[in-house]
Every structure is written in C-alpha cells, then in structure tokens.
C-alpha cells in the first residue's frame, strides 16, 4: 500500500514564512560638527560604527519589530577633532509564522536585520553625502557574530559574581 500525497504533506512541518510589512526611520540625528566649528576640508576621516539590535513582539498576531541602531562617529585621524556624528534607529515590521519558539529570538536578531540592512546602508550613504562628506558605504554586518557575542556577554554577566552595594 502506498502513501498518498496528502499523507506526505501532513508529515512535513509547516514551512517558515516571513514577510516585511514595513520599514521606517524611528529616530535619526546627523551633526556636522566640522561645519559648525568652521573646519577645513583637509582632514582624513577615521570612522567608528557601533551597532545595536533590538526586537519585540507587536500586539497583532505573528507581527514582530526588529531594529538596527547605528551610532557612527567620524574623527580626524590627525587629531581628536570630531567631524560628524550620525545616530539612526531603523525599524522593520515583519509577519512571521511557523518558527519554533526557541528559534524566534535568533531569527529576529539575525534574519530580520539582514533583510532591512541594505535599506539602512543606503540611508547612511545618502545622509553623509547630503551632510557634506563623501558617502559612507557601510561594510556588511555579520549579524550571526553579533548575536553570538551578545549571548556570550549575557552568559558571562549572569555567571559573574554580583558586587555588594
């Protein structure tokens, strides 16, 4: 006796589904400190980028929010002069189904940021160019490493002895 296609389909777990419902800038600030101080164009920028990720469940069924928060500081290599500071909180809203509960956290902090990062990269490039600097083209971000490092940091913090007040 052979199995029918319906029985084979029933045996397979439901396929994971993800859709981007929307993307937006929640908050952004760009300060051209060099222009405010009347600095010249003879500088060599040294750019530092800090990345923070956040995610949360929204009130609607199967909807989640994932955000990438960037803090970009550019200083002159020759001195300690800050050229510009860019802070941006970029958010994606996602419809996600059929992801096991134990996998939703890494999914929200790895796959979701990976989906919206190219759009954030374009915004950063446009803002820095429009702010009077060469466009800043961000390198790809390894969201898997960021996630693993954060998990390791949290585990180390939980295992560390608590200081007495």
């Amino acid at each position: 006796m052979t199995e029918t296609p319906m029985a084979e389909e029933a045996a397979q777990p439901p396929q994971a589904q993800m859709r981007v419902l929307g993307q937006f800038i929640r908050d952004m600030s760009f300060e051209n400190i060099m222009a405010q101080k009347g600095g010249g164009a003879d500088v060599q920028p040294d750019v530092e980028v800090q990345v923070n990720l956040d995610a949360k469940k929204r009130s609607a069924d199967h909807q989640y929010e994932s955000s990438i928060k960037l803090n970009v500081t550019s200083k002159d290599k020759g001195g300690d002069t800050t050229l510009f500071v860019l802070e941006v909180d970029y958010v994606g809203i996602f419809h996600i189904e059929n992801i096991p509960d134990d996998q939703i956290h890494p999914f929200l902090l790895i796959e979701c940021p990976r989906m919206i990062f190219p759009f954030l990269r374009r915004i950063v490039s446009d803002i820095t160019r429009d702010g009077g600097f060469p466009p800043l083209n961000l390198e790809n971000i390894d969201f898997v490493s960021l996630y693993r490092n954060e998990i390791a940091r949290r585990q180390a913090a939980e295992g560390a002895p608590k200081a007495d007040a």
Side-chain angles (χ1 to χ4, degrees):
M1 196 165 142
T2 61
E3 287 189 42
T4 63
M6 290 292 265
E8 288 176 17
E9 287 178 19
Q12 294 177 356
Q15 188 167 357
Q17 297 177 5
M18 178 179 77
R19 287 191 327 265
V20 180
L21 300 177
Q23 303 177 60
F24 61 94
I25 298 170
R26 175 179 288 144
D27 190 25
M28 184 173 67
S29 171
F30 180 81
E31 297 176 53
N32 185 337
I33 297 167
M34 186 176 79
Q36 293 174 23
K37 292 181 178 180
D42 190 24
V43 293
Q44 291 185 334
D46 184 21
V47 178
E48 179 183 316
V49 179
Q50 295 178 343
V51 181
N52 289 306
L53 303 174
D54 195 17
K56 65 181 180 181
K57 173 89 174 84
R58 293 174 58 97
S59 58
D61 285 346
H62 307 292
Q63 283 192 16
Y64 297 86
E65 183 177 292
S66 182
S67 68
I68 305 172
K69 298 173 184 174
L70 292 181
N71 188 334
V72 181
T73 304
S74 178
K75 294 186 176 189
D76 183 13
K77 282 183 183 177
D80 199 23
T81 306
T82 301
L83 306 176
F84 72 82
V85 176
L86 169 63
E87 296 173 349
V88 62
D89 183 1
Y90 193 70
V91 180
I93 300 172
F94 300 88
H95 179 94
I96 300 171
E97 288 188 61
N98 303 325
I99 302 287
D101 287 343
D102 65 333
Q103 294 177 14
I104 194 71
H105 189 255
F107 193 85
L108 291 171
L109 295 175
I110 297 170
E111 294 306 320
C112 293
R114 196 178 285 167
M115 293 290 293
I116 63 174
F117 179 71
F119 301 96
L120 176 58
R121 173 189 278 148
R122 172 70 188 269
I123 290 166
V124 168
S125 177
D126 288 350
I127 292 298
T128 54
R129 183 197 65 228
D130 293 348
F133 294 92
L136 176 59
N137 295 311
L138 295 173
E139 297 286 329
N140 281 327
I141 295 174
D142 184 354
F143 293 106
V144 173
S145 289
L146 276 178
Y147 182 78
R148 287 180 179 155
N149 291 343
E150 179 61 15
I151 294 299
R153 186 194 66 77
R154 286 184 185 184
Q155 288 173 345
E158 288 174 6
K162 299 192 188 240
D164 291 323

